Amino acid sequence: VMQLMAFNGNLIYAGCFAATLSTALTNLLSVPRLIQALGIDRIYPGLIFFSKGYGPHKEPYRGYALTFVISTMFLMI
């Protein structure tokens, strides 16, 4: 029905792809900060290692590495 109403049906697929990519990139950047905050608050003892931040803005590089490893494992499945 959307393709019938749309000016160009292929733009629907492009929009869905862009929305999916945007959501994935947002999650890849926000999850490491969430892991860092959980480690700082000591909510989960296993995440304390990931609470260390680097640089003046306390970037969670360890959280980025963990997110990369988990994402890669799911992609390999």
Side-chain angles (χ1 to χ4, degrees), residues 35-44 48 51:
I35 292 171
Q36 183 183 34
L38 290 172
I40 290 171
D41 293 340
R42 299 181 187 277
I43 294 176
Y44 296 108
I48 294 172
S51 64

Side-chain angles (χ1 to χ4, degrees), residues 1-70:
V1 173
M2 287 177 65
Q3 284 184 335
L4 295 174
M5 301 295 291
F7 177 70
N8 187 353
N10 292 331
L11 290 177
I12 296 170
Y13 293 112
C16 289
F17 179 75
T20 303
L21 184 62
S22 172
T23 302
L25 290 175
T26 300
N27 288 332
L28 284 175
L29 293 176
S30 64
V31 168
R33 294 191 187 277
L34 177 66
I35 292 171
Q36 183 183 34
L38 290 172
I40 290 171
D41 293 340
R42 299 181 187 277
I43 294 176
Y44 296 108
L47 296 178
I48 294 172
F49 175 76
F50 299 101
S51 64
K52 184 173 175 50
Y54 295 92
H57 299 292
K58 304 294 184 197
E59 290 292 324
Y61 291 145
R62 293 178 181 178
Y64 289 136
L66 177 66
T67 304
F68 174 77
V69 168
I70 292 172

